[in-house]
Amino acid sequence: MLLATACGSEPPPRAHAAARPHASAKAPPPPRTAAWLYATRDLSGGSECDEVARWIEGEKGCRAALCVHARDLARDWTARCAPTAPAPRVDRVRALARQYADAAETELTHCGEDAERIRRDGCGDDPTCRVTAERWAARCGKTDGSPLVLRMLERSVESRLSTPARVRLDPRDCGALEDDLARGARCTQRFACEDARDAVAVYRRRCEGDEQPPSLVAALHQQSIASGAGAAPAPLRIAPLETKLAPTDAPVVLVDGLGAVLSACDERPADLARYLETRRACSAGHVVLARALLASDGQLEVRVGALDHPDDATFEARFPSLRAAGEDDARARAVAEAVGAELEAAAQLAAAPATLGAAVAATVRSVSAHERAIARAGTLRSALAAHDAELVP
């Protein structure tokens, strides 16, 4: 009976206790730092953990103590996302967190100090900090402007605006902005030069100031754009001269490296060959140049001026110091074929005593017609020497 009682029918089912949620189903803890909110600010759908992981990876270029923000973001991600994330991603974020933590122990750079000061203390005469932040991005963005630092500066500016608006800092440095100037300065039509004035405004706002005058190259580009847009540019003060212009800094650079041709006879030259071709066909026109000159106080400035161009030969004789870099060789190449043919004809005349006088006259005419080019270009002097033996009589 005991056995029957103990092993007979099954006992009734017990009431199930409320199921406990799995550890992975727990709501993640709230973020501990503002960095998480910066990183997820533009997320409109998808996983916050995926988005923040991309930001953490993007912070590999952070520098010195500014890496503290990337470190904190990685730690937040580990606390919120590691329980459900794939193991390789967790390992990667933890490795980056250690890297950022090590970097965060080093002192702030000057750029880093400026970035933190903008966020913490404001910008004095710049109430919204917008101009200051833009100048910081141009000066420091390449070295210290990680995506998270730029996002924080953008939010700092937005918080100071009287009217809510989104702010995007341009991460290009002054070198990249100067490249924009260089491209704009090659405009050959007025409308294109007018469009390029936007690049001038951005460069001046972000890269120039009372203590930061432009270089000779940057000033030349600005003056070229203004002149091409139909303006009469005022003299532009420049920084102390460190290097002269290279032939590639403008379509037509002067031989002394201190200026460039902006237009000839109302045409913007695309290159040296076109400039010389325009000069040869032009009479009663003007040549417009930009050149570095000493101001009355001894400082250098780039001025724009126009010179009369009665004709090619007169201008060349009147302003020998305003030759373009490569002009002598270009002119020599243009006349080399003509000189060679003329001297060959003179040599044939010199072969017969009866036409010796005509040979002398032909030689003198050829040399006289091209005397400046011959004096300056070794290639033409070589062309003369090539006929020496035939012209001995």
Side-chain angles (χ1 to χ4, degrees):
M1 290 179 61
L2 289 173
L3 290 174
T5 302
C7 302
S9 61
E10 294 183 359
R14 296 179 179 178
H16 290 289
R20 295 182 179 180
H22 191 272
S24 63
K26 290 182 179 179
R32 293 178 296 177
T33 66
W36 187 280
L37 302 180
Y38 289 124
T40 58
R41 177 182 180 184
D42 294 330
L43 184 65
S44 58
S47 165
E48 284 194 356
C49 288
D50 291 344
E51 178 71 4
V52 173
R54 285 192 287 271
W55 276 79
I56 294 169
E57 192 73 31
E59 285 297 294
K60 288 185 293 186
C62 71
R63 191 176 180 198
L66 283 180
C67 290
V68 68
H69 306 299
R71 179 203 67 188
D72 292 345
L73 187 61
R75 289 177 176 176
D76 255 4
W77 187 94
T78 301
R80 289 170 59 85
C81 305
T84 58
R89 174 171 287 183
V90 175
D91 292 341
R92 175 62 178 167
V93 171
R94 285 176 173 162
L96 289 172
R98 291 191 295 271
Q99 173 184 323
Y100 298 150
D102 291 341
E105 295 299 320
T106 61
E107 293 184 1
L108 284 168
T109 64
H110 290 305
C111 284
E113 290 175 353
D114 290 343
E116 295 295 270
R117 189 180 302 113
I118 291 170
R119 296 179 57 236
R120 183 183 64 246
D121 303 329
C123 308
D125 294 337
D126 180 13
T128 67
C129 284
R130 184 161 195 161
V131 173
T132 305
E134 286 179 337
R135 293 176 70 85
W136 184 93
R139 177 171 54 92
C140 301
K142 192 171 184 178
T143 56
D144 294 61
S146 69
L148 189 55
V149 170
L150 288 173
R151 174 61 61 86
M152 289 179 166
L153 287 175
E154 290 167 352
R155 184 66 189 94
S156 180
V157 173
E158 290 171 359
S159 68
R160 295 180 170 95
L161 297 176
S162 57
T163 302
R166 293 298 299 270
V167 173
R168 291 292 190 193
L169 292 179
D170 186 345
R172 292 176 299 166
D173 62 9
C174 290
L177 296 177
E178 193 167 315
D179 290 342
D180 281 352
L181 283 183
R183 284 188 288 270
R186 292 182 178 271
C187 57
T188 56
Q189 302 295 329
R190 180 165 180 165
F191 73 88
C193 296
E194 290 172 347
D195 290 344
R197 300 191 79 170
D198 290 341
V200 174
V202 171
Y203 182 84
R204 287 181 173 175
R205 186 175 69 246
R206 298 185 59 195
C207 301
E208 290 183 12
D210 293 339
E211 303 300 322
Q212 292 176 295
S215 65
L216 170 60
V217 176
L220 173 70
H221 293 331
Q222 293 180 50
Q223 299 290 59
S224 177
I225 290 170
S227 176
L236 190 58
R237 189 63 53 91
I238 63 174
L241 196 63
E242 294 183 357
T243 58
K244 294 183 178 182
L245 298 172
T248 55
D249 285 332
V252 182
V253 173
L254 297 182
V255 72
D256 63 4
L258 294 176
V261 175
L262 306 186
S263 68
C265 301
D266 299 323
E267 180 176 319
R268 300 265 296 177
D271 51 39
L272 177 62
R274 181 58 188 168
Y275 166 64
L276 295 178
E277 182 181 342
T278 300
R279 284 261 310 271
R280 284 191 288 268
C282 174
S283 60
H286 295 87
V287 173
V288 179
L289 307 102
R291 196 166 187 271
L293 298 167
L294 282 176
S296 57
D297 60 0
Q299 300 296 311
L300 279 173
E301 59 186 20
V302 175
R303 302 179 195 169
V304 175
L307 300 173
D308 289 338
H309 185 277
D311 56 66
D312 186 39
T314 302
F315 187 90
E316 185 183 8
R318 187 177 292 174
F319 304 110
S321 65
L322 298 181
R323 301 193 317 280
E327 179 174 344
D328 293 342
D329 288 340
R331 288 184 179 275
R333 287 193 297 271
V335 301
E337 185 175 348
V339 170
E342 291 164 0
L343 293 179
E344 185 175 349
Q348 292 175 358
L349 293 172
T355 53
L356 187 57
V360 172
T363 303
V364 170
R365 281 196 304 271
S366 180
V367 173
S368 298
H370 308 293
E371 60 178 320
R372 289 192 185 90
I374 292 171
R376 293 172 182 162
T379 53
L380 286 178
R381 293 195 294 276
S382 298
L384 282 175
H387 294 279
D388 278 352
E390 299 162 319
L391 293 172
V392 163

